[in-house]
Amino acid sequence: MVTASGAGAGHGVEAVRVSVDGPVATLTIDNPGKRNAMTAAMWRAVPVLLKDLEADPAVKVLVVEGAGGTFCAGADIDDAAAIAADGEDSVAVQAELALAAFPKPTIARIDGFCVGGGCQLAVACDLRFAATDSRFGITPAKLGIVYPRSTTRRLADLVGPSRAKLLLFTADLIDAPAALAIGLVDTVVAPDALAASVRDTAATITTRSQLSVRAAKAFIDGREGPTRQDPAEVAEGLAAFRDRRPPTWPSDYPT
């Protein structure tokens, strides 16, 4: 396992850490004294770490999690006003955009509180797995903050305009079953099953054709992707199916 850190590395507090275990990377939000609230430095670290993971051909899936039983309680209150003042140019939006644009599949593993900036990061992931005891809220209306345009649109695209308005207008917290019902999360499992559920899904994705997976992500997200089949990829997939063996995908080969 390879590890790297940003924003507070080496101090054990206020850090965003990355670990890589085989084909799965994990980005961990770690600010234990404030329920993993994101400081400005932590937001700035996210795009840098993601750029390194994007360049690593061994990494096929990224899991985003919080340390210590909480996903993320939002932006650190000490930095919130300054971050909000920058609007679409804020470090929070830049981190969100970098995560949304990450070309490999991303899974948010959510336990505890997923509030404000925590939801911002979770919604930027491709998939969201939550523990039954997790809580969700998007709370700028409690603070007089205008939620960024791009962030608001991403939320509305996920849950629908009316439900996005309800979340933003009330700033109320909702539980995991309610989040599942409106499409804010994809799967809800018992807290002691969350890690295994995410791990199993990530492992499954790593066995699939990465050419197919990344093309699907790009097309669904409205970005350009490969539009022509790779004959070698198709040939290997069909041969593995006929032989009842795991495929060795050409797209997995380092370039």
Side-chain angles (χ1 to χ4, degrees), residues 202-219:
T204 296
I205 294 171
T206 67
T207 68
R208 306 312 189 204
S209 164
Q210 297 306 294
L211 178 66
S212 297
V213 167
R214 295 184 198 179
K217 173 168 178 168
F219 296 157

Side-chain angles (χ1 to χ4, degrees), residues 181-206:
I182 66 173
L184 186 59
V185 299
D186 303 292
T187 299
V188 172
V189 298
D192 59 0
L194 180 62
S197 181
V198 172
R199 183 173 61 249
D200 291 347
T201 300
T204 296
I205 294 171
T206 67

Side-chain angles (χ1 to χ4, degrees), residues 48-224:
V48 177
L49 295 171
L50 292 178
K51 186 175 181 180
D52 290 340
L53 292 174
E54 180 178 346
D56 186 344
V59 172
K60 299 179 184 178
V61 177
L62 172 65
V63 175
V64 181
E65 65 174 14
T70 292
F71 184 73
C72 175
D76 189 304
I77 197 67
D78 293 335
D79 292 339
I83 291 172
D86 289 334
E88 297 290 327
D89 296 323
S90 74
V91 291
V93 172
Q94 295 309 307
E96 172 202 351
L97 293 175
L99 183 56
F102 190 71
K104 306 172 187 182
T106 55
I107 305 173
R109 195 184 94 180
I110 303 164
D111 50 5
F113 286 95
C114 179
V115 179
C119 267
Q120 190 173 356
L121 290 172
V123 169
C125 290
D126 297 311
L127 302 172
R128 285 153 293 282
F129 286 36
T132 51
D133 60 356
S134 54
R135 296 292 181 271
F136 301 81
I138 304 174
T139 56
K142 288 184 177 180
L143 303 172
I145 291 172
V146 175
Y147 211 44
R149 182 191 302 268
S150 60
T151 308
T152 301
R153 288 305 319 162
R154 195 182 312 282
L155 174 67
D157 289 343
L158 182 64
V159 304
S162 182
R163 287 164 174 162
K165 289 173 183 176
L166 184 62
L167 289 170
L168 289 165
F169 291 176
T170 67
D172 286 340
L173 297 185
I174 62 173
D175 60 18
L180 180 64
I182 66 173
L184 186 59
V185 299
D186 303 292
T187 299
V188 172
V189 298
D192 59 0
L194 180 62
S197 181
V198 172
R199 183 173 61 249
D200 291 347
T201 300
T204 296
I205 294 171
T206 67
T207 68
R208 306 312 189 204
S209 164
Q210 297 306 294
L211 178 66
S212 297
V213 167
R214 295 184 198 179
K217 173 168 178 168
F219 296 157
I220 291 169
D221 291 347
R223 295 194 296 267
E224 292 296 324

